Amino acid sequence: MSDAEQASDFDPTTQVDEFEPVDVFPSSEDMDLRPGADNCYKCTSCDTSCPVAEVDEDFPGPKFQGPEQWRLKRGEDVDIDDSILSCSNCMRCDDACPSSVPLSQMHNTARGEYVEEHMDKKSIEYLRNRMLSNYRTLASIGSKVPRLANFVMGLGITSVLGEKIMSIPSERDVPEFATETFRQWFKKRGGSKVTNPDKQVAYFHGCYSNYNTPEVGKAMVRVFESFDYEVLVPKQQCSGTPMFANGMLKDARREAEVNVRELGKAIENGADVVASCTSCSMALRQEYPELFDIEGIEDLSEHTYEAMEFLRIHEDLGAAIRESEVDPQSFAYHAPCHARNQGLDRQAVELFRELDGAHIEDVGESCSGISGTYGWKSEKYETSMKIGAEMFDHMEHAEGEVGMTECPTCAMQMNHGTGYEIRHPLELLEKAVA
């Protein structure tokens, strides 16, 4: 079939998740992408939406990383360009594309091939990226001796050595481990305080809410219990988000297999899956079925929600908010890129504008710049801060001096650039309704 004939068959109303994976690179068994490149008509919407391309003139942009590279490789025996490592995996290009070209899936798959076939596995870059990708492993160790780990990681010499040995920017403050993880707290309290087989949710807390900010997980549990939900906390691994961003697809699949199996058990018993991190919900919903063929993966995708999104759909959350009040406070809210990709970028602002005592101001559409592990690499730090400059400026001109976001690494960047305390929307929701 010619390119023109393929393009004529394209239905612009088709959703991204309706594409079927096909092998378009016969010379590489690992490269499995959907037939979307020929639907790209080079409008450059993806390039103009890319925060990296906006500040880095050497980065060729998502159009090259996706459909153009697809066509090039299909026609010639060429390698994946190393600029794929400069993609931050913000996934804004998916949302920007009017033709539903599966750009982020192309980027993730190409990055995985590049790392697997071309990156020196003994290089500092690879070892550092592998370490950052597997944060859950490091956190599980650090959380066993949190006070000692926090003391050591807070030393100036640790930051200096991290920069010199592992190329981790010394400007960054390593997040502290909680003295009690979320899972420890949940077990100690005896699990959910509500028993209700007709209203159950399986909470995917992710790594950060478990090891670093258990207050977010606690808020999630209390809020859902206030609506008479029984909260389940199944066995789980990392969502795989940092692994996708670093091309560690074998690691990501290992984690996904556990999550699909364990969360699938809860789904079979009638529960839906809720996540407090928008990158985690994005991984379970979109990236899993795009990248992996695991039994039960589609069911997990279809039954996964961001936490407040779930309540807005299944409960009259607006009414509960309008009947509540909190102590007066103003917030500068940033919508994470992965929230925008799920259509959730306005929900916190719309919801809390109805809450007596709370003043919430959206600080604009710009990316925070940190993009998970992206801003934790010395060679990307300056780019990360350039991307975040617009958000920092808007925050400083906002009425509130407390930030708010659903993404833990966006929260790190917001705090890093402004010094503001950062809160999760669930923490404010807990004050209002729980």
Side-chain angles (χ1 to χ4, degrees):
M1 181 181 290
S2 69
D3 288 357
E5 288 172 329
Q6 286 181 324
S8 68
D9 289 338
F10 173 66
D11 178 1
T13 65
T14 300
Q15 296 298 309
V16 171
D17 58 7
E18 293 177 6
F19 281 97
E20 291 295 329
V22 295
D23 184 7
V24 298
F25 290 143
S27 62
S28 172
E29 295 179 359
D30 294 330
M31 183 61 78
D32 185 79
L33 298 178
R34 296 173 297 183
D38 288 335
N39 296 327
C40 170
Y41 51 87
K42 301 183 180 181
C43 70
T44 70
S45 291
C46 58
D47 286 345
T48 56
S49 72
C50 176
V52 177
E54 184 176 357
V55 301
D56 182 358
E57 62 182 16
D58 294 326
F59 181 61
K63 180 163 64 69
F64 171 80
Q65 301 295 346
E68 288 187 2
Q69 193 158 226
W70 185 94
R71 293 180 179 124
L72 183 66
K73 187 171 179 67
R74 183 174 60 176
E76 303 174 31
D77 184 17
V78 296
D79 293 328
I80 297 295
D81 191 83
D82 63 3
S83 61
I84 191 65
L85 298 181
S86 291
C87 166
S88 69
N89 199 40
C90 71
M91 301 172 73
R92 283 179 172 242
C93 49
D94 280 349
D95 198 39
C97 180
S99 301
S100 297
V101 175
L103 288 150
S104 66
Q105 186 191 18
M106 292 177 172
H107 301 158
N108 279 331
T109 314
R111 187 162 43 241
E113 181 182 282
Y114 179 85
V115 169
E116 183 67 21
E117 297 185 5
H118 303 292
M119 184 174 277
D120 180 1
K121 304 304 185 294
K122 296 180 181 179
S123 67
I124 293 298
E125 182 181 17
Y126 177 83
L127 295 173
R128 185 229 18 226
N129 292 358
R130 189 83 189 274
M131 180 183 70
L132 291 173
S133 297
N134 287 273
Y135 174 74
R136 179 185 173 277
T137 301
L138 296 176
S140 66
I141 298 171
S143 66
K144 296 185 187 305
V145 284
R147 291 181 177 84
L148 176 61
N150 293 337
F151 173 75
V152 172
M153 298 309 293
L155 294 173
I157 187 63
T158 304
S159 296
V160 171
L161 291 175
E163 176 96 56
K164 289 186 176 297
I165 298 173
M166 298 301 292
S167 293
I168 293 175
S170 58
E171 295 89 345
R172 295 280 182 199
D173 294 322
V174 177
E176 291 191 349
F177 297 116
T179 54
E180 180 182 60
T181 69
F182 167 75
R183 293 186 75 91
Q184 289 170 342
W185 170 84
F186 191 75
K187 181 179 181 180
K188 184 183 295 185
R189 83 193 290 256
S192 182
K193 298 299 184 183
V194 173
T195 300
N196 188 346
D198 296 325
K199 293 178 71 174
Q200 292 184 334
V201 292
Y203 178 34
F204 189 86
H205 49 69
C207 305
Y208 206 75
S209 289
N210 185 42
Y211 295 112
N212 301 93
T213 55
E215 61 272 13
V216 173
K218 295 175 186 179
M220 207 290 313
V221 170
R222 291 170 180 146
V223 166
F224 273 74
E225 288 179 343
S226 74
F227 285 96
D228 201 31
Y229 282 92
E230 181 178 358
V231 179
L232 311 175
V233 182
K235 177 183 176 181
Q236 57 193 258
Q237 302 290 93
C238 175
S239 69
T241 297
M243 300 166 189
F244 298 141
N246 287 283
M248 309 291 177
L249 297 188
K250 289 183 178 179
D251 289 354
R253 184 183 179 92
R254 179 195 66 221
E255 307 292 86
E257 287 173 347
V258 174
N259 293 333
V260 172
R261 182 183 68 245
E262 298 299 328
L263 296 173
K265 295 175 183 176
I267 292 170
E268 288 176 3
N269 291 324
D272 286 307
V273 177
V274 295
S276 51
C277 169
T278 47
S279 292
C280 290
S281 60
M282 173 63 84
L284 303 185
R285 277 173 147 169
Q286 178 174 327
E287 289 170 301
Y288 275 22
E290 283 184 342
L291 296 169
F292 306 128
D293 181 16
I294 302 172
E295 184 178 357
I297 208 164
E298 293 291 347
D299 283 344
L300 177 56
S301 174
E302 292 169 6
H303 286 86
T304 295
Y305 299 84
E306 188 275 334
M308 290 208 312
E309 173 197 24
F310 180 90
L311 290 176
R312 295 187 82 190
I313 293 171
H314 294 92
E315 304 293 335
D316 194 349
L317 188 56
I321 284 291
R322 287 189 292 273
E323 295 170 0
S324 305
E325 64 177 311
V326 295
D327 294 336
Q329 191 164 30
S330 297
F331 298 90
Y333 172 75
H334 166 74
C337 296
H338 291 171
R340 295 181 184 281
N341 209 281
Q342 296 171 84
L344 305 176
D345 50 305
R346 295 290 299 171
Q347 72 169 1
V349 172
E350 293 170 357
L351 183 66
F352 291 134
R353 279 178 176 169
E354 302 292 326
L355 179 59
D356 190 17
H359 174 78
I360 185 164
E361 185 175 345
D362 192 331
V363 296
E365 299 182 357
S366 61
C367 175
S368 75
I370 195 169
S371 293
T373 62
Y374 189 82
W376 281 89
K377 302 169 184 178
S378 293
E379 71 274 17
K380 306 298 184 192
Y381 176 77
E382 184 178 347
T383 299
S384 169
M385 296 302 288
K386 285 181 180 178
I387 294 171
E390 182 178 340
M391 180 191 70
F392 303 147
D393 182 64
H394 288 173
M395 287 182 67
E396 289 169 355
H397 286 86
E399 181 178 327
E401 292 188 0
V402 175
M404 177 178 286
T405 190
E406 295 91 341
C407 173
T409 54
C410 287
M412 291 182 203
Q413 182 83 330
M414 294 166 76
N415 173 264
H416 184 63
T418 66
Y420 289 5
E421 175 187 3
I422 313 298
R423 291 296 179 191
H424 192 287
L426 284 169
E427 294 179 88
L428 180 57
L429 189 58
E430 178 191 15
K431 292 181 178 179
V433 304

